[in-house]
Amino acid sequence: MQDEAVDSSDSMNVPDIVLQSSSPKLSQKQDYVFHGGRRHVRPYYFEFIAHVNKRWTGKTIVDLFADEFKGRPRDYYVGAVKSGRIKVDGETVPASYIVKSSQKITHFLHRHEPPVMTDDVEILLKEPDVVTVCKPASIPVHPCGQYRKNTVVGILDAEHDLGPLFPIHRLDRLVSGLLIIARTAAKADFFRQQIEGGLVKKRYIAKVIGVFPEDEKVVDANINYNGSEGRSTAEDASSSGDDKKVKGKPACTKFTRIDTNGTHSLVLCEPVTGRTHQIRVHLQYTGHPIANDPLYLTQHVDDLETKIAKRIDAGERKLVSPEDYMYSSEDFSIDPMCTNCPKLIPQGYEEHDEALWLHCVRYSGTGWEYECPYFPYIAIFLDKKL
């Protein structure tokens, strides 16, 4: 990323501040630190930009941040406003300043990203207008939430100088497998039209609890996503009474058992629609949730399964606790106002990530088809004795 120098002031007490500005180059190889089996990002300065919406209007600038962005204490926001790290329409304002509709608010901060697993983002196919990769679990597809450089798009930019990129479909962060990325806006639009037209067929494999039915099973159940909880629920429209309104959006998934050992089953999943967590919640709906899914394991599952869903396989990943990481001045500089420093990992990060046993293997449409190897993922599922 091309860096934009920003004048530092005595009130910030931080010399040589460098802002990571918007640029076609998202990441560089030197942005990453590898430690304890994880890929970390060196903390960097970043400026968030927002405009005052209806809900924010009439609040003081400090109340706005304290109410809407609870990841930092109120005292931090008071200090950030006084020091000019938080500005309104480019101007420093008092902590009691009341914001007005549509005003531009900027927040300049020392940004720490959560770590991800160190698995490589393997390029499967590279064409002039398309690149396909095998996405490892734990890595988001594109910048979102706390993640920016620690994303598939960011890593491809840093390690393969690929950018700008246009992901044409999304995989949940903990899901692995095929990811198709357009390299031009025109190609992205080509894929978008086929997806919106229902012309794209998708295949995933999942390891689920119990003996899944031998015959193909089709689940037609609406998906209702709750953003505040970060999870979906399923409701069968045909089973609702005439006076009951069915929540959510129509969704359909086809399931076919590949194998079973009497305790777990390997299942082929073919979603007809593309709702949030559709495969995961439809498998839960069948009574056979993904065997290590912390969100959708049903209540009757033995406590051991829940523990499996939350643990790290030490022999497989050999990960260490974030507390084992010792700060090194060679890795990054301490910002005295930062609420995360001197730790590398941001506060509130859930330290244990495990690959969800759900893997995308194929996408196909009119005139095209892309695949991701089933192995070693089926082998991993089998090695865990299904």
Side-chain angles (χ1 to χ4, degrees):
M1 175 170 291
Q2 295 177 351
D3 295 331
E4 177 184 342
V6 177
D7 292 336
S8 60
S9 65
D10 292 339
S11 61
M12 292 184 181
N13 298 317
V14 184
D16 302 324
I17 288 179
V18 174
L19 171 67
Q20 302 285 309
S21 60
S22 297
S23 164
K25 190 68 178 171
L26 178 62
S27 305
Q28 305 276 4
K29 285 185 178 180
Q30 61 267 27
D31 292 339
Y32 300 98
V33 177
F34 294 89
H35 169 76
R38 295 183 177 190
R39 178 193 293 266
H40 300 261
V41 174
R42 299 179 194 276
Y44 54 94
Y45 288 100
F46 188 81
E47 187 174 64
F48 286 96
I49 300 174
H51 289 83
V52 178
N53 58 33
K54 184 177 180 180
R55 188 176 70 251
W56 295 357
T57 301
K59 291 186 176 184
T60 68
I61 186 66
V62 171
D63 285 344
L64 187 162
F65 275 90
D67 293 345
E68 300 290 336
F69 305 99
K70 300 182 184 296
R72 292 176 172 82
R74 183 183 182 85
D75 288 347
Y76 165 81
Y77 293 121
V78 172
V81 171
K82 289 181 177 179
S83 68
R85 289 200 177 191
I86 293 176
K87 293 184 177 182
V88 179
D89 288 336
E91 301 291 335
T92 300
V93 298
S96 59
Y97 182 84
I98 297 176
V99 300
K100 304 176 183 65
S101 177
S102 301
Q103 284 185 307
K104 178 183 176 181
I105 297 178
T106 55
H107 183 197
F108 177 86
L109 51 69
H110 197 230
R111 186 169 183 176
H112 293 236
E113 294 192 27
V116 298
M117 295 176 184
T118 57
D119 301 324
D120 291 334
V121 178
E122 178 187 358
I123 294 179
L124 302 173
L125 181 68
K126 186 177 178 182
E127 298 178 335
D129 53 1
V130 177
V131 61
T132 66
V133 303
C134 185
K135 179 187 108 55
S138 87
I139 305 178
V141 172
H142 52 74
C144 57
Q146 293 191 75
Y147 299 87
R148 185 167 175 266
K149 297 173 183 284
N150 247 352
T151 59
V152 172
V153 171
I155 293 169
L156 288 176
D157 190 20
E159 297 184 351
H160 301 280
D161 201 26
L162 287 172
L165 297 174
F166 307 86
I168 64 105
H169 66 104
R170 186 177 65 85
L171 296 178
D172 290 343
R173 187 174 66 84
L174 296 181
V175 175
S176 60
L178 176 69
L179 185 64
I180 306 169
I181 305 173
R183 301 182 67 183
T184 66
K187 193 65 175 181
D189 190 59
F190 164 80
F191 285 121
R192 179 188 60 78
Q193 290 182 32
Q194 291 209 10
I195 290 173
E196 291 180 354
L199 303 176
V200 175
K201 296 181 180 179
K202 318 158 200 175
R203 285 190 165 191
Y204 294 72
I205 54 172
K207 176 182 172 181
V208 305
I209 288 174
V211 178
F212 199 86
E214 185 174 3
D215 296 333
E216 179 183 84
K217 185 172 183 63
V218 179
V219 175
D220 276 301
N222 281 25
I223 298 292
N224 183 36
Y225 180 69
N226 186 322
S228 62
E229 295 183 359
R231 58 180 294 153
S232 295
T233 54
E235 184 174 344
D236 187 351
S238 63
S239 64
S240 300
D242 295 336
D243 58 342
K244 183 180 179 182
K245 184 178 180 181
V246 179
K247 298 179 180 179
K249 298 178 180 180
C252 178
T253 313
K254 299 177 183 178
F255 297 108
T256 307
R257 191 179 80 192
I258 298 172
D259 197 2
T260 185
N261 66 355
T263 302
H264 296 95
S265 299
L266 199 62
V267 177
L268 175 66
C269 315
E270 299 175 278
V272 178
T273 51
R275 311 302 183 196
T276 302
H277 295 181
Q278 176 175 317
I279 294 174
R280 298 166 68 180
V281 74
H282 273 180
L283 282 169
Q284 180 199 43
Y285 186 82
T286 67
H288 301 277
I290 295 172
N292 71 336
D293 193 335
L295 277 181
Y296 298 108
L297 283 172
T298 49
Q299 297 296 323
H300 69 272
V301 175
D302 188 86
D303 288 343
L304 178 60
E305 296 289 357
T306 303
K307 292 177 182 177
I308 290 174
K310 294 181 178 179
R311 70 170 172 80
I312 286 291
D313 188 333
E316 196 174 64
R317 296 290 181 185
K318 296 182 181 179
L319 298 184
V320 298
S321 167
E323 300 301 327
D324 292 339
Y325 174 79
M326 299 300 293
Y327 160 73
S328 169
S329 59
E330 296 180 358
D331 289 343
F332 67 98
S333 299
I334 297 295
D335 181 323
M337 284 191 65
C338 180
T339 57
N340 293 309
C341 285
K343 292 184 178 180
L344 183 57
I345 296 175
Q347 292 185 16
Y349 170 71
E350 295 295 335
E351 64 178 88
H352 293 322
D353 269 345
E354 183 178 10
L356 193 68
W357 290 335
L358 178 63
H359 181 71
C360 179
V361 294
R362 181 188 298 170
Y363 264 59
S364 61
T366 304
W368 59 272
E369 178 179 289
Y370 298 106
E371 288 190 332
C372 186
Y374 282 63
F375 293 95
Y377 296 93
I378 285 184
I380 290 173
F381 290 173
L382 293 174
D383 285 345
K384 292 181 178 292
K385 297 179 172 51
L386 277 181

